[in-house]
Amino acid sequence: MSADKKVATPEIDLEDMVASSDTGARKPLGAPGKLLVGVAAAWSLFQLWIASPLPYIFRFGVFNATEARSIHLAFAIFLAFMAYPALKRSPRDRIPLTDWVLALVGAFCAAYLFLFYADLAQRPGSPLLHDVIIGVVGILVLLEATRRALGPPLMIVASVFILYSLLGPYMPGILAHRGVSLYGLINHQWLTAQGVFGIALGVSTSFVFLFVLFGALLDKAGAGNYFIKLAFSLLGHYKGGPAKAAVVASGMTGLISGSSIANTVTTGTFTIPMMKRVGFSSEKAGAVEVASSVNGQIMPPVMGAAAFLMVEYVGIPYVEVIKHAFLPALISYIALLYIVHLEALKAGMQSLPSNNPARPLINKLLGFLTGLLLIMGLSFAVYYGLGWLKPVLGDATPWVVAAGLAIAHVLLLKLGSRYPELELDDPSSQVIKLPETKPTLMVGLHYILPVIVLVWCLMVERLSPGLSAFWATVFMIFIMLTQRPIMALFRGRGDLVSDLKEGCRDLWDGLVTGARNMIGIGIATATAGIVVGAVSQTGVGLVLADVVEILAMGNLLLILLLTAVLSLILGMGLPTTANYIVVSALMAPVILMLGQQNGLIVPLIAVHLFVFYFGIMADVTPPVGLASFAAAAVSGGDPIRTGFQAFYYSLRTAALPFLFIFNTDLLLIDVSWMQGVVIFIVATIAMLIFAAGTQGYFLVRSRWYESLLLLLVAFTLFRPGFWMDRIHDPYESVPPAEFAQALEQVDQGSQLRVQIAGEDAFGEAITTYFLVPVPRGETGEERMERLGLELWADGDRTIVDMVEFGSLAADIGFDFDQEIIEVLAPVDRWAKELMWIPGFLLFGLVVLLQRRRKQVAASPEHAV
């Protein structure tokens, strides 16, 4: 009896932890409970409606962007006060009167822009007294909803920025600004699309909700359990197998999850006890789960909803964001698998008994290759088949494709019906043997279909993320309603009516869960909009740049380190979405501005991924690493020690941003398909060597100098250009007066680096660098003309005389009266990849040293 109590208590605590952080811990009884569930389902249906083509077909229920954001936030605030208690001691089974009042008042203030849109549109920038009152009440209620749904950190950050806006003239030193009036603040933050109802809430409304809903429906259909079982059946029998399975399961769950805490608890309740069984300590078991769950937030296609925000902030298509983010995330996961393997080797762990039939290695490889070839063949057939069908079938193509998907769904269910059903796991039970791989794989193959629909719509049809998620969700709903009856039919049992009811119940639960999962994200994007609004209204971003520049003393690496630390601090306690909004609004401009002034010119996406990675690391890092506390609650370990261990495991994730800032090849920027494959292979090897260096173990325990050599090899493979630059400067300096000649001598499509001195937008003197692409043209003068730039010589100085409006030079940033300080032209030199050769030779030396020690340790004389 006492054992049962010991098991039950942590489960309740974990449920409370996930509920309080994701869905709301309150479960009211009676009519209020039904209302809460009904409003949540209504929110999901509203989001599906506005994402679908139906409003335009029926010419009813068409909302513009501002109206949709207003209704979206009204739902979020109302549900926040319904679902989240004010305090820990507040009742969980009923809703107090004060919460009813706050919910209704908050929903009205949020819906104010929708209800009075026509009136507000007639007086832009001139709010009346009642507009300001609504705005003040709305912001205060939003801050309280933030405290309840997300905890104090984001509420405090937003409050500080509001106070900073109002008290600008009273701020000390460089923090001072001219200040903002109350009317100006409310107009900017509540009545326009610059603050609360800005881009972040727009992305939450248009894209994020549908992806979260899609993930909730996929999980309710049974895909979450399928992913965990499949990962364990594939990897559980290797050394440290449960930990490897935890990494893969968390990665697959992270693909569709927007919460690292929910990911940690969902997969951790099953994986952490299994890791402890094979020899991991409580802290290490929790740390592996934290590291893999938090990494789920950097994994496309959702990236904790940040991928959709990057589309808006960076201004590139969604497919491009996925392309750039994919390689670092995949390398990070592969390295974590290797770290787990090294931990198992160090501790001499045993594997769990496999339930798979014994097969020779060659048969396994042949089976894998056969499966891979079948998938590739099917992919080509579908791609080129649809490419041929679309011109032939015209408008009927969607119906034919839908019919094909329905047939594929039925056939996959027929295939799965030959194998036993996957039973839901009880986290408290002791699992004795692992599931067999083939039956586990086959029984859930139909869950892959909606993911294929999503990827197809995004990558091939190039539909918007919102519309892609809509069609994937529609197909997911079809699967939920039909999978039980069809599977039962093939198995020769079951009651059609009860199976349909069960499917409808799963669908209803998915709609409710999706909406409740979105409460925190909706609130977070609205509140983070306050920070973005304050940055645009007060110019605080320039202040941060000044602070970092003073502390870094112009050192480029120190600038990046300080930005990383500030991103970590700003990200503490914030959910992924709010985290990215805050760090990108505050820290990305710092790297861009100071980097450009110091000669580091990198694409905007690289900068945004840099701050995003370090913001996400805050979920791991003590003392506020929320995911570490969640994992410790499951493992029974110490949360601070779990956090530090998880941070140690996540060093590879912390190293990657520095590497891709200096080597954008890792982000697949301006590389060919073949180059991308080579970069992936070499970067993966480099990250595995880095993991071995930081873990102090490779073939055997590494000596200190071997660890240093491994880190040096990893650095060389990641950044071969660093060493090549020491051997041969990549640029030659050209006198500014010979700008045109430099353009003529350099190949079209390459770039010049030009240092200029001028003034910024505020009249302050600055020195910065521009990358100037070489345009078409036979002569230097013709290329200068295409560039839209005219220079004149003033003694020894070369001055910008004229910049053609709308020209390439104007887009780059050239302006009148700027002085050209230096022109750097690229030179022909050896390929930087040649530095990989000495890197691999040095790695071979470490391998020889460790193999010799391993052989000595294994010899009979040594054993005696």
Side-chain angles (χ1 to χ4, degrees), residues 346-633:
K346 281 193 283 186
M349 293 180 192
Q350 299 301 311
S351 57
L352 291 173
S354 173
N355 200 30
N356 291 323
R359 286 194 302 159
L361 180 62
I362 188 68
N363 288 4
K364 291 181 181 179
L365 287 173
L366 284 172
F368 173 77
L369 288 172
T370 303
L372 187 64
L373 288 171
L374 281 172
I375 291 170
M376 290 171 65
L378 186 62
S379 301
F380 278 109
V382 170
Y383 183 83
Y384 290 106
L386 279 178
W388 173 76
L389 278 175
K390 285 172 74 174
V392 174
L393 297 174
D395 293 339
T397 305
W399 298 104
V400 174
V401 172
L405 284 169
I407 293 168
H409 171 56
V410 173
L411 291 176
L412 288 175
L413 285 174
K414 181 172 178 56
L415 182 64
S417 67
R418 300 173 185 170
Y419 302 94
E421 290 184 54
L422 289 179
E423 294 180 3
L424 285 171
D425 288 304
D426 179 5
S428 61
S429 68
Q430 290 290 318
V431 180
I432 304 303
K433 64 180 182 179
L434 297 169
E436 193 178 335
T437 301
K438 187 178 179 181
T440 305
L441 174 66
M442 294 300 179
V443 81
L445 279 176
H446 61 288
Y447 294 128
I448 309 298
L449 287 176
V451 180
I452 291 172
V453 171
L454 178 64
V455 173
W456 176 269
C457 291
L458 284 170
M459 303 295 184
V460 180
E461 296 295 329
R462 296 296 178 109
L463 301 180
S464 71
L467 198 54
S468 300
F470 169 76
W471 289 118
T473 303
V474 167
F475 188 57
M476 190 67 238
I477 290 171
F478 168 74
I479 286 177
M480 293 182 79
L481 293 175
T482 59
Q483 65 174 347
R484 289 177 189 274
I486 295 173
M487 188 70 87
L489 185 67
F490 286 134
R491 286 186 167 138
R493 58 167 182 74
D495 178 3
L496 180 63
V497 175
S498 63
D499 285 333
L500 277 172
K501 283 182 179 177
E502 195 69 30
C504 290
R505 193 175 298 112
D506 287 343
L507 173 59
W508 178 262
D509 289 343
L511 292 172
V512 173
T513 303
R516 292 190 69 156
N517 286 343
M518 266 304 297
I519 298 171
I521 297 175
I523 296 290
T525 49
T527 310
I530 293 174
V531 177
V532 177
V535 170
S536 64
Q537 197 171 23
T538 65
V540 68
L542 294 173
V543 173
L544 269 176
D546 288 341
V547 171
V548 171
E549 188 174 26
I550 291 166
L551 292 174
M553 299 172 289
N555 184 289
L556 192 55
L557 197 56
L558 269 179
I559 288 169
L560 292 172
L561 280 169
L562 285 168
T563 308
V565 170
L566 285 170
S567 298
L568 263 175
I569 293 168
L570 287 167
M572 284 185 178
L574 303 189
T576 304
T577 316
N579 185 326
Y580 170 65
I581 296 166
V582 171
V583 296
S584 64
L586 292 171
M587 303 315 304
V590 173
I591 296 181
L592 278 175
M593 187 188 308
L594 298 183
Q596 198 169 358
Q597 291 173 17
N598 288 274
L600 176 68
I601 307 172
V602 291
L604 188 56
I605 182 67
V607 175
H608 276 256
L609 284 171
F610 181 93
V611 296
F612 175 60
Y613 268 53
F614 280 103
I616 291 303
M617 288 289 288
D619 269 351
V620 178
T621 314
V624 194
L626 298 178
S628 300
F629 279 86

Side-chain angles (χ1 to χ4, degrees), residues 255 295 298-303 307 310 318-334 459 605 609 613 656 660 665-668 676 680 684:
L255 291 174
N295 261 200
I298 66 173
M299 180 64 82
V302 178
M303 296 167 64
M310 284 182 193
Y318 175 76
V319 174
E320 289 295 305
V321 172
I322 299 306
K323 184 183 92 173
H324 298 319
F326 179 70
L327 196 58
L330 183 60
I331 291 170
S332 185
Y333 259 109
I334 292 170
M459 303 295 184
I605 182 67
L609 284 171
Y613 268 53
L656 274 170
F660 63 60
D665 290 353
L666 290 171
L667 301 180
L668 301 180
F680 168 67
T684 303

Side-chain angles (χ1 to χ4, degrees), residues 15-28 36 79-85 92 148-150 512-513 515-520:
E15 285 177 13
D16 284 349
M17 182 178 291
V18 177
S20 60
S21 66
D22 280 344
T23 60
R26 185 181 279 151
K27 294 179 180 176
L36 170 60
L79 288 170
F81 285 103
M82 295 273 285
Y84 290 88
R92 305 293 178 94
R148 292 188 183 203
L150 305 167
V512 173
T513 303
R516 292 190 69 156
N517 286 343
M518 266 304 297
I519 298 171

Side-chain angles (χ1 to χ4, degrees), residues 4-259:
D4 292 340
K5 287 180 180 177
K6 283 180 183 176
V7 170
T9 306
E11 283 182 29
I12 294 167
D13 292 342
L14 288 170
E15 285 177 13
D16 284 349
M17 182 178 291
V18 177
S20 60
S21 66
D22 280 344
T23 60
R26 185 181 279 151
K27 294 179 180 176
L29 305 173
K34 291 177 181 176
L35 178 66
L36 170 60
V37 170
V39 171
W43 190 14
S44 290
L45 293 172
F46 166 76
Q47 294 290 157
L48 284 170
W49 173 263
I50 62 172
S52 73
L54 295 177
Y56 302 98
I57 293 171
F58 294 111
R59 298 185 181 180
F60 166 76
V62 179
F63 304 99
N64 64 35
T66 304
E67 291 172 326
R69 293 174 193 182
S70 177
I71 298 169
H72 181 83
L73 184 58
F75 270 116
I77 290 180
F78 183 82
L79 288 170
F81 285 103
M82 295 273 285
Y84 290 88
L87 302 165
K88 284 186 177 179
R89 63 176 180 272
S90 299
R92 305 293 178 94
D93 58 350
R94 62 182 180 83
I95 303 172
L97 179 61
T98 52
D99 287 3
W100 281 108
V101 172
L102 286 169
L104 292 170
V105 169
F108 173 75
C109 292
Y112 187 73
L113 270 71
F114 164 67
L115 296 171
F116 300 98
Y117 183 80
D119 293 340
L120 291 168
Q122 307 245 335
R123 49 175 193 271
S126 304
L128 302 177
L129 178 61
H130 62 268
D131 297 334
V132 175
I133 292 170
I134 291 290
V136 169
V137 173
I139 287 176
L140 291 174
V141 173
L142 175 61
L143 290 174
E144 169 58 13
T146 306
R147 184 194 67 80
R148 292 188 183 203
L150 305 167
L154 183 57
M155 182 206 72
I156 293 169
V157 169
S159 302
V160 166
F161 276 90
I162 290 172
L163 291 173
Y164 179 74
S165 299
L166 293 171
L167 304 177
Y170 309 103
M171 292 290 163
I174 60 172
L175 293 175
H177 62 92
R178 65 182 181 181
V180 177
S181 68
L182 181 62
Y183 272 57
L185 176 81
I186 296 304
N187 180 68
H188 189 80
Q189 294 283 13
W190 197 264
L191 301 176
T192 69
Q194 302 297 316
V196 170
F197 296 94
I199 288 174
L201 188 64
V203 170
S204 176
T205 307
S206 304
F207 308 142
V208 178
F209 192 104
L210 289 166
F211 276 84
V212 171
L213 177 61
F214 176 69
L217 292 173
L218 200 56
D219 186 56
K220 288 292 178 186
N225 183 56
Y226 173 68
F227 287 154
I228 294 172
K229 282 293 188 75
L230 184 59
F232 267 87
S233 69
L234 286 168
L235 299 167
H237 59 282
Y238 292 109
K239 282 194 174 183
K244 291 171 183 171
V247 173
V248 173
S250 295
M252 289 192 289
T253 308
L255 291 174
I256 54 173
S257 169
S259 168

